[in-house]
Amino acid sequence: MKYILAIDQGTTSTRAHIYGQRGECVCGYQREFPQIYPKPGWVEHSPADIWSSVRSVVELALNGAGLAAADIAAVGITNQRETTVVWDRRTGEPVYNAIVWQCRRTADYCKKLVHDGFSERIYNRTGLVPDAYFSATKIKWILDNVDGARERAERGELCFGTVDTYLLFKLSGGKIFATDYTNAARTMLFNIHTLEWDKELLRLFDIPSGMLPHVYPSAHDFGEIETEPLKGVHVHSVVGDQQGSLFGQGCFEAGDIKNTYGTGCFLLMNTGGAPVKSENGLVTTLGATAGGKPCYVLEGSVFVGGAVVQWLRDGMGLIKSAAASGRAALRAKNSGGVYVVPAFTGLGAPYWDANARGTITGITRGTTKDQIIRASLEGIAYQVYDVVKAMEKDAGISITRLSVDGGASANRFLMQFQSDILRAEVVRSRSGESTVLGAAFLAGISAGVWSEGDVLKLLGGGARRVFLPGMDEGERLSLLSGWKKAVERARLN
Ligand code: ADP
Protein backbone atom coordinates (compact mmCIF):
# COMPACT_ATOMS: atom_id res chain seq x y z
CA MET A 1 0.00 0.00 0.00
CA LYS A 2 1.51 3.30 -1.12
CA TYR A 3 0.43 6.84 -0.39
CA ILE A 4 0.62 10.22 -2.15
CA LEU A 5 1.80 13.26 -0.23
CA ALA A 6 0.69 16.66 -1.56
CA ILE A 7 2.03 20.02 -0.44
CA ASP A 8 -0.09 23.17 -0.88
CA GLN A 9 2.11 26.21 -0.36
CA GLY A 10 -0.52 29.01 -0.13
CA THR A 11 -0.40 32.75 0.44
CA THR A 12 -0.98 32.69 4.19
CA SER A 13 -0.41 29.05 5.10
CA THR A 14 1.15 25.80 3.96
CA ARG A 15 -0.58 22.42 4.09
CA ALA A 16 0.54 18.85 3.60
CA HIS A 17 -2.02 16.11 2.99
CA ILE A 18 -1.51 12.39 2.61
CA TYR A 19 -3.90 10.41 0.41
CA GLY A 20 -4.46 6.69 0.21
CA GLN A 21 -5.01 4.64 -2.93
CA ARG A 22 -8.77 5.26 -2.96
CA GLY A 23 -8.13 9.01 -2.89
CA GLU A 24 -9.10 9.17 0.79
CA CYS A 25 -7.35 11.78 2.92
CA VAL A 26 -5.36 9.97 5.61
CA CYS A 27 -4.29 13.16 7.34
CA GLY A 28 -3.65 16.83 6.72
CA TYR A 29 -1.74 19.55 8.55
CA GLN A 30 -1.66 23.28 8.03
CA ARG A 31 0.73 25.94 9.29
CA GLU A 32 0.50 29.71 8.91
CA PHE A 33 3.60 31.81 8.30
CA PRO A 34 4.32 35.55 8.61
CA GLN A 35 3.23 38.15 6.07
CA ILE A 36 5.64 41.05 5.61
CA TYR A 37 4.28 44.50 4.72
CA PRO A 38 7.32 46.81 4.29
CA LYS A 39 5.23 49.72 2.86
CA PRO A 40 1.58 50.32 1.97
CA GLY A 41 0.73 48.13 -1.02
CA TRP A 42 3.90 46.01 -0.69
CA VAL A 43 3.70 42.34 0.35
CA GLU A 44 6.64 39.98 0.90
CA HIS A 45 7.33 36.53 2.35
CA SER A 46 10.61 35.27 3.74
CA PRO A 47 11.64 32.27 1.57
CA ALA A 48 13.14 30.74 4.72
CA ASP A 49 9.72 30.93 6.43
CA ILE A 50 8.08 29.29 3.43
CA TRP A 51 10.66 26.50 3.40
CA SER A 52 10.45 25.84 7.14
CA SER A 53 6.62 25.80 7.00
CA VAL A 54 6.84 23.16 4.26
CA ARG A 55 9.29 21.03 6.24
CA SER A 56 7.21 21.21 9.37
CA VAL A 57 3.86 20.27 7.77
CA VAL A 58 5.52 17.40 5.88
CA GLU A 59 6.99 16.09 9.12
CA LEU A 60 3.68 16.50 10.95
CA ALA A 61 1.82 14.68 8.19
CA LEU A 62 4.25 11.75 8.05
CA ASN A 63 4.24 11.43 11.84
CA GLY A 64 0.46 11.88 12.03
CA ALA A 65 -0.07 9.07 9.53
CA GLY A 66 2.72 6.93 11.04
CA LEU A 67 4.43 6.72 7.64
CA ALA A 68 8.00 7.03 6.33
CA ALA A 69 9.44 8.08 2.96
CA ALA A 70 9.38 4.46 1.80
CA ASP A 71 5.55 4.45 2.08
CA ILE A 72 5.14 7.46 -0.22
CA ALA A 73 4.75 6.68 -3.93
CA ALA A 74 4.98 10.28 -5.07
CA VAL A 75 4.94 13.89 -3.91
CA GLY A 76 2.80 16.61 -5.53
CA ILE A 77 3.25 20.36 -5.17
CA THR A 78 0.67 23.11 -5.64
CA ASN A 79 1.46 26.71 -4.82
CA GLN A 80 0.50 30.37 -4.64
CA ARG A 81 1.10 31.61 -8.16
CA GLU A 82 3.19 34.53 -9.48
CA THR A 83 5.08 35.07 -6.20
CA THR A 84 8.70 35.66 -7.19
CA VAL A 85 11.93 34.38 -5.62
CA VAL A 86 15.46 35.11 -6.89
CA TRP A 87 18.32 33.14 -5.33
CA ASP A 88 21.97 32.22 -5.73
CA ARG A 89 22.36 29.09 -7.86
CA ARG A 90 25.33 27.82 -5.82
CA THR A 91 24.29 28.57 -2.23
CA GLY A 92 20.49 28.60 -2.59
CA GLU A 93 20.51 31.90 -0.68
CA PRO A 94 17.72 34.31 -1.78
CA VAL A 95 18.96 37.78 -2.79
CA TYR A 96 15.70 39.40 -1.60
CA ASN A 97 12.44 38.38 0.07
CA ALA A 98 9.81 36.68 -2.09
CA ILE A 99 7.66 39.39 -3.71
CA VAL A 100 4.08 38.19 -3.29
CA TRP A 101 1.48 38.22 -6.08
CA GLN A 102 -0.56 40.81 -4.15
CA CYS A 103 2.35 43.28 -4.08
CA ARG A 104 1.64 46.46 -6.07
CA ARG A 105 5.20 47.92 -6.12
CA THR A 106 5.47 47.67 -9.90
CA ALA A 107 1.99 49.05 -10.64
CA ASP A 108 3.29 52.35 -12.07
CA TYR A 109 5.69 50.56 -14.37
CA CYS A 110 2.80 48.37 -15.59
CA LYS A 111 0.67 51.46 -16.22
CA LYS A 112 3.51 52.80 -18.34
CA LEU A 113 3.63 49.54 -20.32
CA VAL A 114 -0.08 49.93 -21.08
CA HIS A 115 0.38 53.62 -21.92
CA ASP A 116 3.31 52.81 -24.23
CA GLY A 117 1.14 50.37 -26.17
CA PHE A 118 2.58 47.02 -25.06
CA SER A 119 -0.72 45.47 -23.95
CA GLU A 120 -1.58 43.72 -27.18
CA ARG A 121 1.91 42.31 -27.71
CA ILE A 122 1.94 40.96 -24.17
CA TYR A 123 -1.60 39.55 -24.44
CA ASN A 124 -0.91 37.86 -27.78
CA ARG A 125 2.06 36.00 -26.34
CA THR A 126 1.15 35.38 -22.71
CA GLY A 127 -2.66 35.67 -22.61
CA LEU A 128 -2.26 38.18 -19.76
CA VAL A 129 -2.89 41.89 -19.37
CA PRO A 130 0.15 43.85 -18.12
CA ASP A 131 -0.25 43.95 -14.35
CA ALA A 132 1.92 44.04 -11.23
CA TYR A 133 0.33 40.68 -10.27
CA PHE A 134 2.51 38.68 -12.62
CA SER A 135 6.16 37.77 -11.99
CA ALA A 136 7.95 39.57 -14.85
CA THR A 137 7.99 43.08 -13.38
CA LYS A 138 8.79 41.70 -9.91
CA ILE A 139 11.94 40.00 -11.26
CA LYS A 140 12.91 43.21 -13.02
CA TRP A 141 12.39 45.14 -9.77
CA ILE A 142 14.77 42.81 -7.91
CA LEU A 143 17.42 43.05 -10.66
CA ASP A 144 17.10 46.85 -10.73
CA ASN A 145 17.01 47.42 -6.96
CA VAL A 146 19.16 44.81 -5.23
CA ASP A 147 22.85 45.73 -5.20
CA GLY A 148 24.84 43.69 -7.71
CA ALA A 149 21.86 41.48 -8.64
CA ARG A 150 21.82 42.38 -12.34
CA GLU A 151 25.54 41.69 -12.78
CA ARG A 152 25.23 38.39 -10.93
CA ALA A 153 22.21 37.41 -13.03
CA GLU A 154 24.10 38.23 -16.22
CA ARG A 155 27.00 36.04 -15.06
CA GLY A 156 24.50 33.17 -14.66
CA GLU A 157 24.80 33.09 -10.87
CA LEU A 158 21.13 33.73 -10.04
CA CYS A 159 17.98 31.66 -10.43
CA PHE A 160 14.41 32.94 -10.70
CA GLY A 161 11.51 30.79 -9.65
CA THR A 162 7.93 30.90 -8.55
CA VAL A 163 7.43 29.17 -5.20
CA ASP A 164 7.16 25.69 -6.75
CA THR A 165 10.58 26.11 -8.38
CA TYR A 166 12.13 27.34 -5.15
CA LEU A 167 10.71 24.35 -3.27
CA LEU A 168 11.92 21.86 -5.91
CA PHE A 169 15.38 23.43 -5.64
CA LYS A 170 15.38 23.19 -1.83
CA LEU A 171 13.91 19.68 -1.72
CA SER A 172 16.49 18.37 -4.20
CA GLY A 173 19.47 20.10 -2.60
CA GLY A 174 19.84 22.31 -5.70
CA LYS A 175 19.62 19.50 -8.26
CA ILE A 176 16.17 20.31 -9.72
CA PHE A 177 15.59 23.68 -11.39
CA ALA A 178 12.17 23.38 -12.97
CA THR A 179 8.57 24.56 -13.07
CA ASP A 180 5.38 23.50 -14.86
CA TYR A 181 3.28 25.07 -17.61
CA THR A 182 0.61 26.44 -15.25
CA ASN A 183 3.12 28.37 -13.14
CA ALA A 184 5.21 29.50 -16.12
CA ALA A 185 2.05 30.86 -17.74
CA ARG A 186 1.60 33.34 -14.86
CA THR A 187 5.04 34.95 -15.14
CA MET A 188 4.16 37.16 -18.18
CA LEU A 189 7.37 35.78 -19.78
CA PHE A 190 6.01 32.51 -21.17
CA ASN A 191 4.55 32.16 -24.63
CA ILE A 192 1.42 30.06 -24.10
CA HIS A 193 1.20 29.23 -27.83
CA THR A 194 4.75 27.95 -28.44
CA LEU A 195 5.10 26.72 -24.81
CA GLU A 196 8.51 28.41 -24.50
CA TRP A 197 9.99 31.35 -22.63
CA ASP A 198 9.48 34.35 -24.91
CA LYS A 199 12.76 35.95 -26.06
CA GLU A 200 11.20 39.26 -27.00
CA LEU A 201 9.51 39.65 -23.61
CA LEU A 202 12.77 38.74 -21.86
CA ARG A 203 14.38 41.59 -23.81
CA LEU A 204 11.53 43.96 -22.96
CA PHE A 205 11.88 43.28 -19.22
CA ASP A 206 15.66 42.97 -19.43
CA ILE A 207 15.78 39.52 -17.83
CA PRO A 208 18.66 37.12 -18.69
CA SER A 209 17.27 33.83 -20.00
CA GLY A 210 19.80 31.85 -17.94
CA MET A 211 17.81 32.70 -14.79
CA LEU A 212 14.76 30.76 -15.95
CA PRO A 213 13.83 27.19 -14.96
CA HIS A 214 13.03 24.31 -17.34
CA VAL A 215 9.30 23.96 -17.98
CA TYR A 216 7.51 20.60 -17.91
CA PRO A 217 3.91 19.32 -17.88
CA SER A 218 2.18 19.41 -14.48
CA ALA A 219 2.10 15.60 -14.24
CA HIS A 220 5.76 14.72 -14.73
CA ASP A 221 8.65 13.05 -12.89
CA PHE A 222 10.49 16.20 -11.76
CA GLY A 223 13.19 14.18 -10.00
CA GLU A 224 14.28 12.88 -6.64
CA ILE A 225 14.05 14.59 -3.26
CA GLU A 226 17.45 14.68 -1.55
CA THR A 227 16.45 16.04 1.85
CA GLU A 228 14.88 14.41 4.88
CA PRO A 229 12.23 13.32 5.71
CA LEU A 230 11.28 12.55 2.08
CA LYS A 231 14.71 11.52 0.80
CA GLY A 232 14.45 9.19 -2.20
CA VAL A 233 10.82 10.02 -3.12
CA HIS A 234 10.16 11.64 -6.50
CA VAL A 235 8.13 14.80 -7.06
CA HIS A 236 5.54 13.80 -9.67
CA SER A 237 3.45 16.96 -10.01
CA VAL A 238 3.72 20.72 -9.90
CA VAL A 239 0.65 22.90 -10.48
CA GLY A 240 -0.44 26.47 -9.70
CA ASP A 241 -3.12 26.55 -6.99
CA GLN A 242 -6.09 27.62 -9.14
CA GLN A 243 -5.26 25.11 -11.85
CA GLY A 244 -4.77 22.48 -9.11
CA SER A 245 -8.29 23.19 -7.94
CA LEU A 246 -9.64 23.00 -11.53
CA PHE A 247 -8.07 19.55 -11.88
CA GLY A 248 -9.08 18.47 -8.36
CA GLN A 249 -12.68 19.37 -9.25
CA GLY A 250 -12.52 16.99 -12.22
CA CYS A 251 -12.94 19.81 -14.76
CA PHE A 252 -11.22 17.84 -17.53
CA GLU A 253 -13.46 18.75 -20.48
CA ALA A 254 -13.86 21.95 -22.49
CA GLY A 255 -16.64 24.00 -20.90
CA ASP A 256 -16.03 22.65 -17.37
CA ILE A 257 -15.82 25.55 -14.93
CA LYS A 258 -14.97 26.00 -11.26
CA ASN A 259 -15.11 28.84 -8.77
CA THR A 260 -13.16 29.11 -5.54
CA TYR A 261 -14.91 31.32 -2.97
CA GLY A 262 -12.01 32.54 -0.85
CA THR A 263 -11.06 36.08 0.13
CA GLY A 264 -11.61 36.83 -3.56
CA CYS A 265 -13.20 34.52 -6.11
CA PHE A 266 -11.22 32.71 -8.80
CA LEU A 267 -13.12 31.35 -11.77
CA LEU A 268 -11.42 29.09 -14.30
CA MET A 269 -12.95 27.50 -17.37
CA ASN A 270 -11.28 24.68 -19.28
CA THR A 271 -11.45 25.59 -23.00
CA GLY A 272 -9.69 22.46 -24.25
CA GLY A 273 -6.81 22.25 -26.73
CA ALA A 274 -7.16 25.73 -28.21
CA PRO A 275 -6.76 29.11 -26.55
CA VAL A 276 -9.82 31.38 -26.47
CA LYS A 277 -9.16 35.07 -26.95
CA SER A 278 -11.15 37.10 -24.49
CA GLU A 279 -13.20 40.07 -25.62
CA ASN A 280 -14.66 40.46 -22.14
CA GLY A 281 -11.76 41.23 -19.83
CA LEU A 282 -10.66 37.69 -18.94
CA VAL A 283 -7.13 36.32 -19.20
CA THR A 284 -6.11 33.23 -21.16
CA THR A 285 -3.80 30.83 -19.40
CA LEU A 286 -2.71 27.19 -19.22
CA GLY A 287 -4.33 24.41 -17.22
CA ALA A 288 -3.06 21.05 -15.98
CA THR A 289 -3.85 17.79 -17.76
CA ALA A 290 -2.95 14.19 -17.11
CA GLY A 291 -0.98 14.07 -20.39
CA GLY A 292 2.00 15.95 -21.81
CA LYS A 293 0.21 18.93 -23.32
CA PRO A 294 -1.53 21.49 -21.11
CA CYS A 295 -5.09 22.61 -21.82
CA TYR A 296 -6.10 26.23 -22.24
CA VAL A 297 -8.11 28.04 -19.62
CA LEU A 298 -10.06 31.29 -19.35
CA GLU A 299 -9.62 32.93 -15.96
CA GLY A 300 -11.49 35.74 -14.27
CA SER A 301 -11.32 36.94 -10.73
CA VAL A 302 -13.52 38.85 -8.33
CA PHE A 303 -11.46 40.94 -5.91
CA VAL A 304 -13.88 40.88 -2.99
CA GLY A 305 -15.63 37.56 -2.34
CA GLY A 306 -15.54 36.13 1.20
CA ALA A 307 -13.80 39.37 2.19
CA VAL A 308 -17.19 41.12 2.26
CA VAL A 309 -18.18 38.70 5.02
CA GLN A 310 -15.01 39.58 6.94
CA TRP A 311 -15.97 43.23 6.56
CA LEU A 312 -19.47 42.56 7.93
CA ARG A 313 -17.85 40.79 10.89
CA ASP A 314 -14.74 42.86 11.62
CA GLY A 315 -15.48 46.24 10.01
CA MET A 316 -19.22 46.65 10.65
CA GLY A 317 -19.64 44.29 13.60
CA LEU A 318 -22.95 43.03 12.13
CA ILE A 319 -22.13 39.35 12.69
CA LYS A 320 -19.97 37.44 15.16
CA SER A 321 -18.75 34.76 12.76
CA ALA A 322 -18.64 34.20 9.00
CA ALA A 323 -21.08 31.30 9.38
CA ALA A 324 -23.63 33.61 11.06
CA SER A 325 -24.04 35.42 7.71
CA GLY A 326 -25.89 32.45 6.25
CA ARG A 327 -28.35 32.29 9.17
CA ALA A 328 -29.01 36.04 8.95
CA ALA A 329 -29.63 35.80 5.19
CA LEU A 330 -32.17 33.02 5.68
CA ARG A 331 -33.92 34.98 8.45
CA ALA A 332 -34.25 37.98 6.13
CA LYS A 333 -36.29 35.95 3.56
CA ASN A 334 -35.40 38.55 0.88
CA SER A 335 -33.10 41.53 0.47
CA GLY A 336 -36.03 43.94 0.02
CA GLY A 337 -34.49 45.69 -2.99
CA VAL A 338 -31.14 46.29 -1.25
CA TYR A 339 -27.95 45.65 -3.25
CA VAL A 340 -24.42 45.58 -1.87
CA VAL A 341 -21.72 46.04 -4.53
CA PRO A 342 -18.50 45.20 -2.63
CA ALA A 343 -16.21 47.12 -4.98
CA PHE A 344 -13.87 48.04 -2.10
CA THR A 345 -10.82 48.14 -4.37
CA GLY A 346 -12.55 48.68 -7.72
CA LEU A 347 -14.18 46.05 -9.91
CA GLY A 348 -12.35 43.26 -11.78
CA ALA A 349 -13.62 41.22 -14.73
CA PRO A 350 -15.63 42.03 -16.75
CA TYR A 351 -15.75 45.72 -15.72
CA TRP A 352 -12.07 46.51 -14.95
CA ASP A 353 -12.97 49.74 -13.21
CA ALA A 354 -10.32 50.71 -10.66
CA ASN A 355 -12.34 53.76 -9.63
CA ALA A 356 -15.54 51.93 -8.68
CA ARG A 357 -16.17 51.82 -4.92
CA GLY A 358 -18.32 49.82 -2.52
CA THR A 359 -21.96 50.89 -2.74
CA ILE A 360 -25.22 49.97 -0.99
CA THR A 361 -28.39 50.87 -2.89
CA GLY A 362 -32.13 50.56 -2.25
CA ILE A 363 -32.14 51.20 1.51
CA THR A 364 -35.50 52.22 2.97
CA ARG A 365 -36.63 52.98 6.53
CA GLY A 366 -37.69 49.34 6.77
CA THR A 367 -34.34 47.82 5.76
CA THR A 368 -32.98 45.43 8.38
CA LYS A 369 -29.52 44.35 9.39
CA ASP A 370 -30.27 40.84 8.13
CA GLN A 371 -31.20 42.24 4.72
CA ILE A 372 -27.89 44.09 4.43
CA ILE A 373 -26.10 40.85 5.31
CA ARG A 374 -28.17 38.92 2.79
CA ALA A 375 -27.52 41.53 0.09
CA SER A 376 -23.78 41.28 0.80
CA LEU A 377 -23.80 37.53 0.18
CA GLU A 378 -25.94 38.06 -2.91
CA GLY A 379 -23.32 40.61 -4.06
CA ILE A 380 -20.72 37.81 -4.13
CA ALA A 381 -23.03 35.63 -6.24
CA TYR A 382 -23.87 38.44 -8.71
CA GLN A 383 -20.18 39.19 -9.27
CA VAL A 384 -19.57 35.50 -10.00
CA TYR A 385 -22.56 35.58 -12.36
CA ASP A 386 -20.98 38.48 -14.26
CA VAL A 387 -17.71 36.56 -14.77
CA VAL A 388 -19.53 33.38 -15.81
CA LYS A 389 -21.49 35.35 -18.41
CA ALA A 390 -18.23 36.86 -19.75
CA MET A 391 -16.79 33.32 -20.05
CA GLU A 392 -19.90 32.07 -21.84
CA LYS A 393 -19.63 34.92 -24.34
CA ASP A 394 -15.91 34.40 -24.96
CA ALA A 395 -16.10 30.61 -25.25
CA GLY A 396 -19.49 30.47 -27.00
CA ILE A 397 -20.59 27.85 -24.47
CA SER A 398 -23.61 27.88 -22.19
CA ILE A 399 -22.85 26.82 -18.61
CA THR A 400 -25.09 24.28 -16.91
CA ARG A 401 -22.87 23.41 -13.96
CA LEU A 402 -20.44 25.27 -11.70
CA SER A 403 -18.04 23.29 -9.47
CA VAL A 404 -17.23 25.16 -6.26
CA ASP A 405 -14.84 25.14 -3.33
CA GLY A 406 -13.18 27.60 -0.91
CA GLY A 407 -14.14 28.91 2.54
CA ALA A 408 -17.35 30.73 1.61
CA SER A 409 -18.68 27.75 -0.38
CA ALA A 410 -19.62 26.38 3.06
CA ASN A 411 -22.47 28.92 3.03
CA ARG A 412 -25.60 27.06 1.92
CA PHE A 413 -27.62 30.21 1.35
CA LEU A 414 -24.91 31.61 -0.93
CA MET A 415 -24.64 28.36 -2.91
CA GLN A 416 -28.40 28.10 -3.41
CA PHE A 417 -28.64 31.74 -4.44
CA GLN A 418 -25.70 31.24 -6.84
CA SER A 419 -27.47 28.30 -8.45
CA ASP A 420 -30.75 30.26 -8.69
CA ILE A 421 -29.16 33.34 -10.23
CA LEU A 422 -27.01 31.36 -12.70
CA ARG A 423 -29.83 28.93 -13.48
CA ALA A 424 -27.19 26.22 -13.27
CA GLU A 425 -26.31 23.33 -11.01
CA VAL A 426 -23.76 24.24 -8.32
CA VAL A 427 -21.68 21.26 -7.19
CA ARG A 428 -19.67 21.57 -3.99
CA SER A 429 -16.70 19.20 -3.80
CA ARG A 430 -16.59 16.58 -1.11
CA SER A 431 -13.54 17.66 0.78
CA GLY A 432 -13.29 21.39 0.30
CA GLU A 433 -9.66 20.75 -0.58
CA SER A 434 -9.72 20.49 -4.34
CA THR A 435 -6.43 22.35 -4.73
CA VAL A 436 -4.26 19.95 -2.77
CA LEU A 437 -6.28 17.01 -4.08
CA GLY A 438 -5.57 18.18 -7.65
CA ALA A 439 -1.82 18.09 -6.96
CA ALA A 440 -2.16 14.63 -5.38
CA PHE A 441 -4.15 13.25 -8.34
CA LEU A 442 -1.67 14.66 -10.87
CA ALA A 443 1.24 13.12 -8.92
CA GLY A 444 -0.55 9.79 -8.63
CA ILE A 445 -1.26 9.74 -12.37
CA SER A 446 2.37 10.55 -13.23
CA ALA A 447 3.61 7.85 -10.83
CA GLY A 448 1.26 5.28 -12.36
CA VAL A 449 -0.89 4.88 -9.23
CA TRP A 450 -4.06 6.05 -11.04
CA SER A 451 -5.29 6.70 -14.57
CA GLU A 452 -7.32 9.80 -15.45
CA GLY A 453 -10.40 7.56 -15.53
CA ASP A 454 -9.66 6.28 -12.00
CA VAL A 455 -9.42 9.87 -10.79
CA LEU A 456 -12.82 10.76 -12.27
CA LYS A 457 -14.32 7.71 -10.56
CA LEU A 458 -12.69 8.61 -7.24
CA LEU A 459 -14.04 12.16 -7.52
CA GLY A 460 -17.53 10.97 -8.43
CA GLY A 461 -17.61 8.53 -5.53
CA GLY A 462 -17.18 11.11 -2.77
CA ALA A 463 -19.98 12.87 -0.94
CA ARG A 464 -20.79 16.04 -2.84
CA ARG A 465 -23.51 18.55 -2.34
CA VAL A 466 -25.51 19.62 -5.37
CA PHE A 467 -27.61 22.82 -5.41
CA LEU A 468 -30.30 22.99 -8.11
CA PRO A 469 -31.84 26.20 -9.44
CA GLY A 470 -35.39 26.80 -8.29
CA MET A 471 -36.04 30.53 -8.58
CA ASP A 472 -38.95 31.85 -10.61
CA GLU A 473 -37.60 33.25 -13.90
CA GLY A 474 -39.40 36.60 -13.54
CA GLU A 475 -37.86 37.12 -10.11
CA ARG A 476 -34.40 36.15 -11.36
CA LEU A 477 -34.50 38.64 -14.21
CA SER A 478 -35.81 41.39 -11.98
CA LEU A 479 -33.05 40.79 -9.40
CA LEU A 480 -30.41 40.81 -12.15
CA SER A 481 -31.70 44.06 -13.56
CA GLY A 482 -31.50 45.62 -10.09
CA TRP A 483 -27.90 44.39 -9.76
CA LYS A 484 -26.99 45.99 -13.10
CA LYS A 485 -28.29 49.34 -11.88
CA ALA A 486 -26.44 49.01 -8.58
CA VAL A 487 -23.16 48.31 -10.43
CA GLU A 488 -23.70 51.42 -12.56
CA ARG A 489 -24.02 53.46 -9.36
CA ALA A 490 -20.88 51.90 -7.85
CA ARG A 491 -19.05 53.04 -10.98
CA LEU A 492 -20.17 56.67 -10.59
CA ASN A 493 -17.79 57.16 -7.66
P1 ADP B 1 -8.29 32.23 1.37
O1 ADP B 1 -7.70 30.98 0.80
O2 ADP B 1 -8.47 33.34 0.38
O3 ADP B 1 -7.67 32.69 2.66
P2 ADP B 1 -10.55 30.58 2.29
O4 ADP B 1 -10.88 29.63 1.19
O5 ADP B 1 -9.89 30.07 3.51
O6 ADP B 1 -9.81 31.87 1.71
O7 ADP B 1 -11.92 31.30 2.71
C1 ADP B 1 -11.94 32.33 3.64
C2 ADP B 1 -13.03 33.32 3.28
O8 ADP B 1 -14.30 32.67 3.32
C3 ADP B 1 -13.10 34.48 4.26
O9 ADP B 1 -13.16 35.67 3.53
C4 ADP B 1 -14.39 34.25 5.06
O10 ADP B 1 -15.03 35.47 5.33
C5 ADP B 1 -15.22 33.42 4.10
N1 ADP B 1 -16.10 32.47 4.79
C6 ADP B 1 -15.74 31.42 5.56
N2 ADP B 1 -16.84 30.77 6.01
C7 ADP B 1 -17.92 31.40 5.50
C8 ADP B 1 -19.33 31.21 5.57
N3 ADP B 1 -19.88 30.21 6.28
N4 ADP B 1 -20.12 32.09 4.91
C9 ADP B 1 -19.59 33.09 4.18
N5 ADP B 1 -18.28 33.32 4.08
C10 ADP B 1 -17.45 32.49 4.71
Side-chain angles (χ1 to χ4, degrees):
M1 174 76 187
K2 283 266 196 175
Y3 298 83
I4 307 287
L5 188 150
I7 299 165
D8 177 1
Q9 203 305 297
T11 310
T12 57
S13 71
T14 305
R15 300 160 174 241
H17 284 219
I18 295 180
Y19 292 94
Q21 228 138 341
R22 282 170 286 113
E24 76 283 13
C25 184
V26 177
C27 73
Y29 286 88
Q30 184 171 13
R31 172 146 292 185
E32 294 198 358
F33 61 90
Q35 307 291 308
I36 304 168
Y37 304 108
K39 288 187 189 181
W42 290 32
V43 191
E44 297 177 0
H45 292 155
S46 151
D49 288 343
I50 289 181
W51 173 230
S52 75
S53 73
V54 168
R55 290 176 63 128
S56 81
V57 289
V58 165
E59 257 166 42
L60 285 168
L62 286 172
N63 291 340
L67 297 173
D71 303 310
I72 306 297
V75 166
I77 297 177
T78 181
N79 58 290
Q80 51 167 321
R81 304 176 304 171
E82 298 109 10
T83 296
T84 297
V85 194
V86 174
W87 67 92
D88 185 296
R89 189 183 297 276
R90 204 172 43 81
T91 63
E93 205 47 50
V95 304
Y96 190 79
N97 272 339
I99 303 185
V100 178
W101 58 273
Q102 296 153 319
C103 185
R104 305 303 301 166
R105 80 184 64 196
T106 55
D108 286 344
Y109 174 64
C110 290
K111 259 194 211 145
K112 189 168 174 309
L113 285 173
V114 174
H115 180 261
D116 293 349
F118 283 103
S119 300
E120 198 172 330
R121 213 178 309 171
I122 291 175
Y123 181 80
N124 286 342
R125 286 152 191 271
T126 66
L128 307 174
V129 287
D131 193 274
Y133 241 165
F134 307 113
S135 317
T137 63
K138 300 181 195 289
I139 307 173
K140 178 172 164 54
W141 188 94
I142 291 177
L143 296 183
D144 289 343
N145 290 279
V146 175
D147 260 0
R150 182 164 295 286
E151 294 72 26
R152 287 168 71 193
E154 272 157 13
R155 287 199 299 269
E157 293 169 18
L158 299 185
C159 298
F160 149 74
T162 38
V163 169
D164 53 307
T165 306
Y166 182 66
L167 292 179
L168 282 172
F169 193 90
K170 295 298 279 184
L171 286 165
S172 66
K175 293 216 172 104
I176 307 174
F177 184 42
T179 188
D180 84 304
Y181 290 128
T182 65
N183 276 291
R186 311 294 297 183
T187 58
M188 213 160 77
L189 295 171
F190 195 69
N191 188 315
I192 59 170
H193 307 287
T194 62
L195 303 182
E196 285 169 346
W197 297 114
D198 193 282
K199 291 197 176 66
E200 193 179 322
L201 293 179
L202 289 173
R203 263 198 304 280
L204 172 68
F205 296 111
D206 205 4
I207 295 171
S209 60
M211 295 181 75
L212 303 173
H214 300 288
V215 190
Y216 298 105
S218 301
H220 172 79
D221 184 354
F222 284 83
E224 190 171 324
I225 295 175
E226 301 266 351
T227 50
E228 293 299 348
L230 286 170
K231 196 164 165 38
V233 185
H234 284 232
V235 176
H236 272 279
S237 77
V238 168
V239 62
D241 53 10
Q242 296 308 323
Q243 285 94 333
S245 146
L246 190 69
F247 195 86
Q249 289 277 13
C251 294
F252 298 167
E253 302 289 329
D256 287 351
I257 174 171
K258 74 93 191 174
N259 182 32
T260 299
Y261 296 82
T263 310
C265 293
F266 287 94
L267 285 104
L268 271 71
M269 179 200 266
N270 184 336
T271 63
V276 171
K277 192 169 162 68
S278 179
E279 308 288 344
N280 293 286
L282 306 170
V283 300
T284 308
T285 197
L286 297 173
T289 64
K293 276 251 164 130
C295 63
Y296 288 89
V297 163
L298 274 175
E299 176 170 334
S301 38
V302 168
F303 300 147
V304 176
V308 72
V309 177
Q310 288 169 328
W311 171 74
L312 291 173
R313 187 192 59 193
D314 307 336
M316 302 300 284
L318 291 184
I319 42 174
K320 289 220 162 62
S321 67
S325 64
R327 296 192 289 274
L330 290 171
R331 269 197 311 269
K333 305 262 188 322
N334 61 59
S335 54
V338 175
Y339 289 88
V340 174
V341 186
F344 299 154
T345 53
L347 284 167
Y351 304 104
W352 291 111
D353 186 344
N355 298 322
R357 281 299 171 266
T359 303
I360 304 182
T361 65
I363 302 172
T364 65
R365 178 65 184 82
T367 298
T368 64
K369 179 168 113 171
D370 287 346
Q371 283 177 321
I372 302 266
I373 296 167
R374 182 175 174 123
S376 302
L377 292 173
E378 292 177 352
I380 303 175
Y382 289 127
Q383 293 183 94
V384 169
Y385 170 91
D386 287 338
V387 178
V388 170
K389 291 295 137 183
M391 286 181 165
E392 285 185 334
K393 267 194 219 148
D394 279 338
I397 295 173
S398 166
I399 301 299
T400 54
R401 177 220 286 237
L402 176 70
S403 302
V404 303
D405 53 48
S409 73
N411 191 306
R412 276 182 291 130
F413 164 76
L414 175 59
M415 294 303 102
Q416 184 57 51
F417 188 77
Q418 187 72 80
S419 168
D420 286 342
I421 229 53
L422 276 175
R423 240 178 49 185
E425 191 177 282
V426 168
V427 182
R428 187 165 67 197
S429 64
R430 52 174 194 162
S431 63
E433 287 149 14
S434 325
T435 304
V436 69
L437 194 60
F441 280 152
L442 285 162
I445 288 171
S446 165
V449 175
W450 299 304
S451 69
E452 190 174 332
D454 294 337
V455 164
L456 270 181
K457 269 194 222 121
L458 292 174
L459 282 166
R464 296 185 301 171
R465 177 78 202 256
V466 180
F467 297 85
L468 297 172
M471 188 181 276
D472 168 77
E473 185 61 2
E475 185 184 354
R476 186 178 84 97
L477 294 177
S478 137
L479 286 172
L480 282 167
S481 115
W483 167 251
K484 217 167 147 213
K485 285 190 205 128
V487 168
E488 279 161 22
R489 292 187 186 135
R491 301 185 64 182
L492 289 177
N493 288 292

